[in-house]
Amino acid sequence: MPNIVLKAGSRPPWVGLAAAAWVQVAAGNGYNFPLYSSALKSVLGFNQQQLTLLGVANDIGESVGLIPGIVINKLPPWVLSVGVVFCFLGYGVLWLAFSQTVPGLPYWLLWLALVVATNSNAWFGTAVLVTNMRNFPLSRGTVSGILKGYVGISAAVYTVLFNMALGDSASKLLLFLTLGIIICLAMMFFIRPCTPASGEDSSVHVHFFSPKLQALCLPFIFSYPL
C-alpha cells in the first residue's frame, strides 16, 4: 500500500479548504453594487455623480488589502471576525438608510460605510487564502486557483439569489448582506492551520480533482439563463 503522508492539526486540511470555498463565495459581496445601485439612487435621491462616487467607494474597499495581509501574517484565522464586523456595520448602515429606518443619514457616512462593507472582502479572502496555502505548501498554486475561482463565481451566485429568492428587492439584498455573514461565522470554526506534509503526497492530486472540477463547472451552471 502507498505510504500516505498525514497532516496534523485541530482540523483536517480538506475540511478547512471546503469551508474556505464557502467563505470565498460569500466574500464577493462587493460585486453586488450594480444590483442595488439604481434603487439606491432612486430612493435616496442621489445624482449620477454621487452614485459614481459610491461606486468608487465600493472599489476602494475591495482593493485595500495591505492591512489584512499584515494582520493575518501575525494572527490566527480568527481575524475573519474583523471582516464579519465590517460587513455587518457597513451594509447595516446602508440598509438603515435605504429602508428609511434611519432617515437623513449624511452622504459621507454612506460613502464610508460602503468602503468598510466591501473591505470585508479583503479580510475574508486574505485569511482563508493564506491559511490554506500554508496547509498545502506543495500545492499553493492549485489552492490559490481554486479559491480565487470561487470568489469569481460569487457574483453569479448573488445574482441568482437576488433574482430568485429575494424578488429583485434591493432592500432585501442589503439586509441579506448585513446578516448573511453568519455563513462566515460558522465557517471560521473549520478554517484552522494544520501541520503541513513533510513530503510529496500522491493522494493530494486525487483529492484535488473534485474541487478543480467544481471550480470549472460552477461558473457555467450559475451563468446559464434560467
Side-chain angles (χ1 to χ4, degrees), residues 79-172:
V79 295
L80 273 170
S81 58
V82 177
V84 170
V85 173
F86 279 13
C87 194
F88 178 78
L89 293 178
Y91 284 114
V93 170
L94 289 175
W95 178 78
L96 290 174
F98 182 83
S99 64
Q100 301 295 306
T101 303
V102 181
L105 291 178
Y107 176 81
W108 66 265
L109 179 59
L110 299 180
W111 191 93
L112 185 61
L114 191 53
V115 172
V116 171
T118 54
N119 188 241
S120 63
N121 301 353
W123 290 91
F124 293 146
T126 304
V128 300
L129 189 62
V130 170
T131 302
N132 280 277
M133 289 178 70
R134 287 173 176 171
N135 288 345
F136 297 94
L138 301 180
S139 304
R140 291 176 179 174
T142 302
V143 169
S144 176
I146 290 173
L147 293 181
K148 286 295 184 181
Y150 276 103
V151 75
I153 68 170
S154 63
V157 173
Y158 276 118
T159 301
V160 171
L161 183 67
F162 177 70
N163 293 332
M164 300 187 65
L166 302 179
D168 294 337
S169 170
S171 178
K172 291 180 180 178

Side-chain angles (χ1 to χ4, degrees), residues 21-107:
W22 282 100
V23 173
Q24 287 291 75
V25 171
N29 51 41
Y31 298 140
N32 290 310
F33 185 72
L35 297 178
Y36 62 83
S37 58
S38 297
L40 205 65
K41 177 182 179 182
S42 175
V43 172
L44 299 181
F46 293 152
N47 57 41
Q48 187 58 44
Q49 182 179 10
Q50 289 175 313
L51 188 65
T52 301
L53 289 176
L54 283 178
V56 173
N58 186 83
D59 294 337
I60 290 176
E62 288 184 287
S63 303
V64 180
L66 178 61
I67 295 177
I70 295 174
V71 172
I72 191 60
N73 200 42
K74 303 292 184 181
L75 299 176
W78 277 100
V79 295
L80 273 170
S81 58
V82 177
V84 170
V85 173
F86 279 13
C87 194
F88 178 78
L89 293 178
Y91 284 114
V93 170
L94 289 175
W95 178 78
L96 290 174
F98 182 83
S99 64
Q100 301 295 306
T101 303
V102 181
L105 291 178
Y107 176 81

